[in-house]
């Protein structure tokens, strides 16, 4: 399992920037750069599954 995670990290590292952006968006990854500290803070805030759900009802 650890080897597979390492492979995934390498794959993401080599991915196209647009693909990375989409992946990070889907994961809810938030990065904040603090230039005075030369520090990047990272948080993952995934949306609940129901937030993106769409429901269309037929006529009644």
């Amino acid at each position: 399992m650890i080897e597979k995670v390492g492979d995934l990290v390498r794959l993401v590292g080599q991915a196209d920037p647009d693909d990375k952006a989409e992946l990070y968006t889907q994961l809810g990854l938030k990065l904040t750069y603090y230039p005075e500290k030369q520090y990047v803070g990272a948080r993952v805030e995934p949306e609940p599954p129901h937030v993106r759900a769409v429901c269309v009802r037929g006529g009644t």
Side-chain angles (χ1 to χ4, degrees):
M1 187 167 140
I2 298 298
E3 288 178 10
K4 289 181 182 184
V5 171
D7 291 343
L8 180 59
V9 170
R10 280 189 290 284
L11 181 64
V12 171
Q14 297 169 355
D16 178 83
D18 290 335
D19 293 337
K20 285 184 196 180
E22 178 62 24
L23 173 64
Y24 297 159
T25 298
Q26 289 181 15
L27 291 172
L29 179 64
K30 308 288 184 193
L31 301 173
T32 305
Y33 178 62
Y34 302 94
E36 66 282 354
K37 297 180 182 179
Q38 296 184 343
Y39 172 81
V40 176
R43 293 184 305 167
V44 176
E45 298 177 355
E47 294 180 354
H50 66 278
V51 172
R52 292 189 182 192
V54 176
C55 181
V56 178
R57 296 183 182 193
T60 56

